[in-house]
Every structure is written in C-alpha cells, then in structure tokens.
Amino acid sequence: MHASTFLWFDGRAEEAAEHYTRIVPGSTILDRRRDADGRVATVVFDLAGQRFIAHNGGPLFTFSGAISLYLECDTQADVDTAWAALTEGGKEGPGGSLTDRFGVTWQVVPKAMAELLAAADRDGAERILGAVHAMTRIDIQGLIDARDR
C-alpha cells in the first residue's frame, strides 16, 4: 500500500503542481495523466519526499482550512522564501498559516519552533505560543525574544 494526498482542483492542477514543485526544494513532477481529449486530468508530484496527486475535478469540491499542508522549513530564509511564493496571489493567515492562490491552506513553520518549545520552561513556551499567534509569517528571532522575556 501507498498513501498519497489527493488534491481536487477546478482546472488548475498542473499549474498548482508546477508552482509547488518550484517552491519546495527536492520536489518534482512525476507524471501527467491526460483525458481522452489530451487535456491534463491528473498530475502526480513529489514534494520533498511526499507524494501528491492533483486532479482537475471541476467545481464540485473546494478547499477549506479544515485541512492544510505543513511545510517545515530549516531556516528563516526558507520560511521567508516559501511564504513569499505561497502568499503571492493568496492570503496571509495567523500563526504561520496562509491560503495560496489555489485555495489550499498551508502551515509554514520553522523547525526551530518545535526545538524552542521543547527546550522552554512552561512560561517560556506560553510566551512563544503567544508570539506565534500574534504573527502571520513566523519569525524565529521573534520566538527567541518571546521565550527570553
């Protein structure tokens, strides 16, 4: 067995897969499957080792914030780059969340956040989480500053 994330788009599956694979290093389009008329119906792609299937299913279903893609970034520069690319034509949300131009919700989170939370005492962790909730794009130095207050 193999599990993949299946994303239903209204005609923009190929555009979305190409956009995502440009943003996330180590990602690639694996396959484009066409319908009887030669149009791209499904795109199989890999984002840094995780397989996704983007399907042009029409307007029947839309994305909601009830499910999101979680992008853990190694550095602040990675957070900033991914954030800029994913919010282009999209909308910033609270605490590192955003909705991209295709309607997909993402959580763009630095690895350092989990490390800071794990190493913090209870009060420091609460200050870190308070800082996260006050941010849109997460700023690692802002988390450190909150922990150290």
Side-chain angles (χ1 to χ4, degrees):
M1 276 190 236
H2 185 146
S4 298
T5 301
F6 188 89
L7 302 170
W8 183 287
F9 291 90
D10 184 9
R12 298 178 74 188
E14 185 174 31
E15 179 187 355
E18 289 174 350
H19 183 60
Y20 300 155
T21 56
R22 279 191 304 270
I23 294 169
V24 180
S27 300
T28 189
I29 303 284
L30 300 171
D31 189 25
R32 286 177 174 85
R33 299 176 187 156
R34 299 186 180 277
D35 64 17
D37 296 324
R39 294 178 301 225
V40 173
T42 304
V43 180
V44 180
F45 62 103
D46 177 282
L47 288 183
Q50 184 170 339
R51 186 173 168 228
F52 290 82
I53 300 166
H55 177 67
N56 283 325
L60 184 61
F61 299 112
T62 58
F63 295 109
S64 82
I67 188 166
S68 61
L69 302 183
Y70 189 91
L71 185 60
E72 189 175 58
C73 299
D74 292 327
T75 66
Q76 185 67 54
D78 292 340
V79 169
D80 297 345
T81 299
W83 188 266
L86 289 168
T87 57
E88 183 180 310
K91 181 178 155 189
E92 294 184 342
S97 70
L98 64 91
T99 302
D100 70 19
R101 64 183 178 217
F102 306 103
V104 176
T105 301
W106 292 77
Q107 307 297 320
V108 181
V109 180
K111 277 186 185 177
M113 187 170 83
E115 296 163 359
L116 288 166
L117 285 168
D121 62 19
R122 181 176 176 192
D123 290 340
E126 286 181 12
R127 288 191 303 272
I128 291 168
L129 290 174
V132 167
H133 295 300
M135 296 176 181
T136 52
R137 178 191 49 84
I138 296 175
D139 175 66
I140 296 170
Q141 187 60 53
L143 301 180
I144 293 168
D145 294 345
R147 177 201 62 195
D148 295 344
R149 270 189 246 146

